[in-house]
Coordinates of all heavy atoms in Angstrom, one line a residue:
L1 N 1.1 -50.9 -26.2 CA 0.1 -51.3 -25.3 C -1.3 -51.0 -25.9 O -1.5 -50.0 -26.5 CB 0.2 -50.8 -23.9 CG 1.3 -51.2 -23.0 CD1 1.6 -50.4 -21.9 CD2 1.0 -52.7 -22.6
D2 N -2.2 -52.0 -25.6 CA -3.6 -51.8 -26.1 C -4.5 -52.0 -24.9 O -4.4 -52.9 -24.1 CB -3.9 -52.9 -27.2 CG -5.3 -52.7 -27.7 OD1 -5.8 -51.5 -27.9 OD2 -5.9 -53.7 -28.0
W3 N -5.4 -51.0 -24.7 CA -6.3 -51.1 -23.5 C -7.7 -51.0 -24.2 O -8.2 -50.2 -24.9 CB -6.1 -50.0 -22.7 CG -7.1 -49.9 -21.5 CD1 -7.2 -50.8 -20.6 CD2 -8.1 -48.9 -21.3 NE1 -8.2 -50.3 -19.7 CE2 -8.7 -49.2 -20.2 CE3 -8.4 -47.7 -22.0 CZ2 -9.8 -48.4 -19.7 CZ3 -9.5 -46.9 -21.6 CH2 -10.1 -47.3 -20.3
Q4 N -8.6 -51.9 -23.6 CA -10.1 -52.0 -23.9 C -10.8 -52.2 -22.6 O -10.7 -53.1 -22.0 CB -10.3 -53.1 -24.9 CG -11.7 -53.3 -25.4 CD -12.2 -52.2 -26.3 OE1 -11.6 -52.2 -27.5 NE2 -13.1 -51.5 -25.9
Q5 N -11.7 -51.2 -22.3 CA -12.4 -51.2 -21.2 C -13.3 -52.5 -21.1 O -13.4 -53.1 -20.1 CB -13.3 -49.9 -21.0 CG -14.1 -49.8 -19.7 CD -14.9 -48.5 -19.6 OE1 -14.8 -47.7 -20.4 NE2 -15.6 -48.4 -18.5
D6 N -14.1 -52.7 -22.2 CA -14.9 -53.9 -22.2 C -14.3 -54.9 -23.4 O -14.6 -54.6 -24.5 CB -16.4 -53.5 -22.6 CG -17.3 -54.7 -22.6 OD1 -16.8 -55.8 -22.7 OD2 -18.5 -54.5 -22.6
A7 N -13.6 -55.8 -23.0 CA -12.9 -56.6 -23.9 C -13.7 -57.6 -24.7 O -13.4 -58.1 -25.7 CB -11.8 -57.3 -23.3
I8 N -15.0 -57.8 -24.1 CA -15.9 -58.7 -24.8 C -16.8 -58.1 -25.8 O -16.7 -58.4 -27.0 CB -16.8 -59.4 -23.8 CG1 -16.0 -60.1 -22.7 CG2 -17.8 -60.3 -24.4 CD1 -15.2 -61.3 -23.3
N9 N -17.4 -56.9 -25.5 CA -18.4 -56.2 -26.5 C -17.7 -55.0 -27.1 O -18.3 -54.6 -28.1 CB -19.6 -55.8 -25.7 CG -20.3 -57.1 -25.1 OD1 -20.5 -58.1 -25.8 ND2 -20.7 -56.8 -23.8
G10 N -16.5 -54.6 -26.7 CA -15.9 -53.4 -27.2 C -16.6 -52.1 -26.8 O -16.2 -51.0 -27.5
D11 N -17.5 -52.1 -25.8 CA -18.0 -50.9 -25.5 C -17.1 -50.1 -24.5 O -16.2 -50.5 -24.0 CB -19.4 -51.1 -24.7 CG -20.4 -51.6 -25.7 OD1 -20.3 -51.4 -26.9 OD2 -21.4 -52.3 -25.2
G12 N -17.5 -48.7 -24.3 CA -16.6 -48.0 -23.3 C -15.4 -47.4 -24.0 O -15.3 -47.2 -25.3
W13 N -14.4 -47.1 -23.1 CA -13.3 -46.5 -23.6 C -12.2 -47.5 -24.2 O -12.1 -48.6 -23.6 CB -12.6 -45.6 -22.4 CG -13.4 -44.5 -22.1 CD1 -14.3 -44.3 -21.1 CD2 -13.3 -43.1 -22.8 NE1 -14.9 -43.1 -21.0 CE2 -14.3 -42.3 -22.0 CE3 -12.7 -42.6 -23.8 CZ2 -14.5 -40.9 -22.4 CZ3 -12.8 -41.3 -24.1 CH2 -13.8 -40.5 -23.5
N14 N -11.4 -47.1 -25.0 CA -10.2 -47.9 -25.5 C -9.2 -47.0 -25.8 O -9.3 -45.7 -26.1 CB -10.7 -48.8 -26.6 CG -11.0 -47.9 -27.9 OD1 -10.2 -47.4 -28.6 ND2 -12.4 -47.8 -28.0
G15 N -7.9 -47.4 -25.9 CA -6.8 -46.6 -26.2 C -5.6 -47.4 -26.7 O -5.6 -48.7 -26.5
F16 N -4.6 -46.8 -27.3 CA -3.5 -47.6 -27.9 C -2.3 -46.6 -27.9 O -2.6 -45.4 -28.2 CB -3.7 -48.3 -29.1 CG -3.7 -47.4 -30.3 CD1 -2.5 -47.1 -31.1 CD2 -4.8 -46.7 -30.8 CE1 -2.5 -46.4 -32.1 CE2 -4.8 -45.9 -31.9 CZ -3.6 -45.8 -32.6
V17 N -1.1 -47.1 -27.9 CA 0.1 -46.4 -28.1 C 1.1 -47.4 -28.8 O 1.2 -48.5 -28.4 CB 0.8 -45.8 -26.8 CG1 2.1 -45.3 -27.2 CG2 0.0 -44.7 -26.2
L18 N 1.7 -46.9 -29.9 CA 2.6 -47.8 -30.6 C 3.9 -47.0 -30.9 O 3.8 -45.8 -31.5 CB 2.1 -48.3 -31.9 CG 3.0 -49.2 -32.7 CD1 3.3 -50.5 -31.9 CD2 2.3 -49.6 -34.1
L19 N 5.1 -47.4 -30.3 CA 6.3 -46.8 -30.5 C 7.3 -47.6 -31.4 O 7.5 -48.9 -31.1 CB 7.0 -46.5 -29.1 CG 8.4 -45.8 -29.1 CD1 8.3 -44.4 -29.6 CD2 9.1 -45.9 -27.8
T20 N 7.7 -47.1 -32.5 CA 8.5 -47.8 -33.5 C 9.8 -47.1 -33.8 O 9.8 -45.9 -34.1 CB 7.8 -48.1 -34.8 OG1 6.5 -48.7 -34.5 CG2 8.5 -49.0 -35.6
R21 N 10.8 -47.8 -33.7 CA 12.2 -47.3 -34.0 C 12.8 -47.9 -35.3 O 12.9 -49.1 -35.4 CB 13.2 -47.6 -32.9 CG 14.7 -47.1 -33.1 CD 14.7 -45.6 -33.1 NE 16.1 -45.1 -33.2 CZ 16.5 -43.8 -33.4 NH1 15.5 -43.0 -33.4 NH2 17.7 -43.5 -33.4
N22 N 13.0 -47.1 -36.3 CA 13.6 -47.4 -37.6 C 15.0 -47.0 -37.5 O 15.3 -45.7 -37.3 CB 12.9 -46.8 -38.7 CG 11.5 -47.5 -39.1 OD1 10.7 -47.6 -38.3 ND2 11.5 -47.9 -40.4
F23 N 16.0 -47.9 -37.6 CA 17.3 -47.6 -37.5 C 17.9 -47.1 -38.8 O 17.4 -47.2 -39.9 CB 18.1 -48.9 -37.1 CG 17.8 -49.3 -35.7 CD1 16.7 -50.3 -35.4 CD2 18.5 -48.8 -34.6 CE1 16.4 -50.7 -34.1 CE2 18.1 -49.2 -33.2 CZ 17.0 -50.1 -33.0
R24 N 19.1 -46.5 -38.6 CA 19.8 -46.0 -39.8 C 20.1 -47.1 -40.8 O 20.5 -48.1 -40.4 CB 21.1 -45.4 -39.3 CG 22.0 -44.8 -40.4 CD 23.3 -44.2 -40.0 NE 24.2 -43.8 -41.0 CZ 24.2 -42.7 -41.6 NH1 23.3 -41.7 -41.3 NH2 25.2 -42.5 -42.5
Q25 N 19.8 -46.8 -42.0 CA 20.1 -47.7 -43.2 C 21.4 -47.2 -44.0 O 21.2 -46.2 -44.6 CB 18.9 -47.9 -44.1 CG 19.2 -48.7 -45.3 CD 19.5 -50.2 -44.9 OE1 20.6 -50.4 -44.4 NE2 18.6 -51.1 -45.1
D26 N 22.5 -47.9 -43.6 CA 23.7 -47.5 -44.5 C 24.3 -48.7 -45.2 O 25.5 -48.6 -45.5 CB 24.7 -46.8 -43.5 CG 24.9 -47.6 -42.3 OD1 24.6 -48.9 -42.2 OD2 25.6 -47.1 -41.3
R27 N 23.5 -49.7 -45.4 CA 24.0 -50.9 -46.2 C 23.5 -50.4 -47.6 O 22.3 -50.8 -48.0 CB 23.5 -52.2 -45.7 CG 24.1 -52.5 -44.3 CD 23.4 -53.7 -43.8 NE 22.0 -53.4 -43.4 CZ 21.6 -52.8 -42.3 NH1 22.5 -52.4 -41.4 NH2 20.4 -52.6 -42.1
L28 N 24.3 -49.9 -48.4 CA 23.8 -49.2 -49.7 C 24.3 -50.0 -51.0 O 25.4 -50.5 -50.9 CB 24.3 -47.8 -49.7 CG 24.2 -47.0 -48.4 CD1 24.9 -45.7 -48.5 CD2 22.6 -46.8 -48.2
A29 N 23.3 -50.0 -51.9 CA 23.7 -50.4 -53.2 C 24.7 -49.4 -53.9 O 24.6 -48.2 -53.8 CB 22.5 -50.5 -54.1
Q30 N 25.7 -49.9 -54.5 CA 26.8 -49.1 -55.1 C 27.1 -49.6 -56.6 O 26.9 -50.7 -56.9 CB 28.1 -49.2 -54.3 CG 28.0 -48.7 -52.9 CD 29.3 -48.6 -52.2 OE1 30.3 -49.1 -52.7 NE2 29.3 -48.0 -51.1
Y31 N 27.4 -48.6 -57.4 CA 27.8 -48.8 -58.8 C 29.1 -48.3 -58.9 O 29.3 -47.0 -58.8 CB 26.7 -48.1 -59.7 CG 25.3 -48.5 -59.4 CD1 24.6 -47.6 -58.6 CD2 24.7 -49.7 -59.7 CE1 23.2 -47.9 -58.3 CE2 23.4 -50.0 -59.5 CZ 22.7 -49.1 -58.8 OH 21.4 -49.4 -58.3
E32 N 30.1 -49.0 -59.3 CA 31.5 -48.5 -59.4 C 31.9 -48.4 -60.9 O 31.6 -49.2 -61.7 CB 32.4 -49.5 -58.6 CG 32.0 -49.7 -57.1 CD 32.4 -48.3 -56.5 OE1 33.1 -47.5 -56.9 OE2 31.8 -48.1 -55.3
T33 N 32.7 -47.4 -61.2 CA 33.5 -47.3 -62.4 C 35.0 -47.2 -62.0 O 35.4 -47.1 -60.8 CB 33.1 -46.1 -63.2 OG1 33.4 -44.9 -62.5 CG2 31.6 -46.1 -63.5
E34 N 35.8 -47.1 -63.0 CA 37.3 -47.0 -62.7 C 37.6 -45.6 -62.0 O 38.5 -45.6 -61.2 CB 38.1 -47.0 -64.0 CG 38.0 -48.4 -64.7 CD 38.7 -48.4 -65.9 OE1 39.4 -47.4 -66.4 OE2 38.8 -49.5 -66.7
S35 N 36.8 -44.5 -62.3 CA 37.2 -43.3 -61.7 C 36.2 -42.8 -60.6 O 36.6 -41.9 -59.8 CB 37.2 -42.3 -62.9 OG 36.0 -42.2 -63.5
S36 N 35.1 -43.4 -60.5 CA 34.2 -42.8 -59.6 C 33.1 -43.8 -59.1 O 33.1 -45.0 -59.6 CB 33.4 -41.6 -60.1 OG 32.7 -42.0 -61.3
G37 N 32.3 -43.5 -58.2 CA 31.2 -44.5 -57.7 C 29.9 -43.7 -57.6 O 29.9 -42.6 -57.3
L38 N 28.8 -44.3 -57.8 CA 27.5 -43.9 -57.5 C 26.8 -44.8 -56.6 O 26.9 -46.0 -56.8 CB 26.7 -43.8 -58.9 CG 25.3 -43.4 -58.8 CD1 25.1 -41.9 -58.4 CD2 24.5 -43.6 -60.2
S39 N 26.1 -44.4 -55.6 CA 25.5 -45.2 -54.7 C 24.3 -44.5 -54.0 O 24.0 -43.4 -54.3 CB 26.4 -45.5 -53.5 OG 26.6 -44.4 -52.6
E40 N 23.5 -45.4 -53.4 CA 22.3 -44.7 -52.7 C 22.9 -43.9 -51.6 O 24.1 -44.0 -51.2 CB 21.5 -46.0 -52.0 CG 20.9 -46.9 -52.9 CD 20.1 -47.9 -52.2 OE1 20.8 -48.8 -51.5 OE2 18.9 -48.0 -52.3
T41 N 22.0 -43.1 -51.1 CA 22.3 -42.2 -49.9 C 21.8 -42.9 -48.7 O 20.8 -43.7 -48.7 CB 21.7 -40.9 -50.0 OG1 20.4 -40.9 -50.1 CG2 22.4 -40.1 -51.1
P42 N 22.5 -42.8 -47.6 CA 22.0 -43.5 -46.3 C 20.7 -42.9 -45.9 O 20.4 -41.6 -46.2 CB 23.2 -43.3 -45.3 CG 23.9 -42.2 -45.9 CD 23.8 -42.2 -47.4

């Protein structure tokens, strides 16, 4: 939410809050060999 006391001239009080959720990233690049694998970490 964004709040501006004087929305025309920008005078007075103003405030903001921003809430952002970054989700878990587990879709990972992988490199495979016959015996083992190397990948990104989640």
Side-chain angles (χ1 to χ4, degrees):
L1 284 166
D2 183 37
W3 174 69
Q4 179 73 63
Q5 184 177 358
D6 185 342
I8 301 296
N9 300 314
D11 292 336
W13 291 96
N14 63 80
F16 78 94
V17 171
L18 181 62
L19 180 69
T20 307
R21 178 67 174 176
N22 282 57
F23 293 93
R24 176 181 170 86
Q25 175 59 290
D26 53 12
R27 294 171 294 278
L28 309 174
Q30 295 186 353
Y31 312 94
E32 299 292 340
T33 66
E34 295 181 359
S35 58
S36 61
L38 174 69
S39 71
E40 297 179 293
T41 57

